[in-house]
Amino acid sequence: MLYTEIMNDNKDFLTLYKKGKYSASKFSVIYVRPNGSPFNRLGITAGKKVGNAVCRNRAKRLIRLAYRQAEAFLPVGMDIVIVARSSICTIKSQEFCGYMEKYGIAEINRMFRSFSEGKQKV
């Protein structure tokens, strides 16, 4: 990944869940919050409801692949957590990559712009 670091600290995940904006879809939930750094931080989660270990690992691989392909079109300086839903295990990789290109990037950019607009108004 070009300008992305992996988010590992549980405290960062919880802060993002509480204070970030989110967009839910059939396949995943995307949480976004600015971090003020010259790079993005990505966190991926897949809980037990997604399925067994094979399904969870496949879901994380799909999310990583889709993010890697969409990374160039995303703004820099934000924390992103993508939470897998159980329906992600039943689709092909190109379907999720197409979803990220068509809807995911637009949603992330919209949420990031709403954060920056909120800062300007205050």
Side-chain angles (χ1 to χ4, degrees):
M1 292 185 240
L2 297 172
Y3 49 87
T4 302
E5 292 185 0
I6 302 301
M7 189 185 318
N8 289 326
D9 195 10
N10 188 37
K11 183 182 79 169
D12 295 332
F13 279 84
L14 294 177
T15 303
L16 192 57
Y17 292 147
K18 288 181 183 176
K19 297 184 179 180
K21 295 191 183 258
Y22 70 94
S23 172
S25 74
K26 187 170 138 182
F27 306 122
S28 64
V29 181
I30 302 171
Y31 291 89
V32 176
R33 182 171 188 241
N35 63 10
S37 302
F39 53 85
N40 292 341
R41 294 191 311 166
L42 175 68
I44 300 172
T45 60
K48 280 191 173 182
K49 289 183 181 180
V50 173
N52 60 9
V54 175
C55 288
R56 292 194 301 268
N57 287 330
R58 182 173 187 278
K60 290 187 273 189
R61 279 197 319 270
L62 286 176
I63 291 170
R64 251 184 254 117
L65 174 68
Y67 180 83
R68 205 175 308 122
Q69 290 180 356
E71 184 178 20
F73 304 106
L74 297 173
V76 178
M78 61 184 179
D79 291 342
I80 302 170
V81 171
I82 302 177
V83 181
R85 287 194 164 170
S86 59
S87 61
I88 199 169
C89 292
T90 62
I91 62 172
K92 296 188 180 224
S93 62
Q94 289 305 315
E95 191 174 344
F96 188 70
C97 290
Y99 160 77
M100 273 299 278
E101 287 176 11
K102 192 170 183 182
Y103 300 109
I105 295 171
E107 284 295 314
I108 291 171
N109 285 324
R110 183 188 57 79
M111 290 185 286
F112 190 71
R113 269 187 267 118
S114 70
F115 268 112
S116 61
E117 289 171 1
K119 268 188 175 177
Q120 291 172 355
K121 290 179 182 176
V122 174

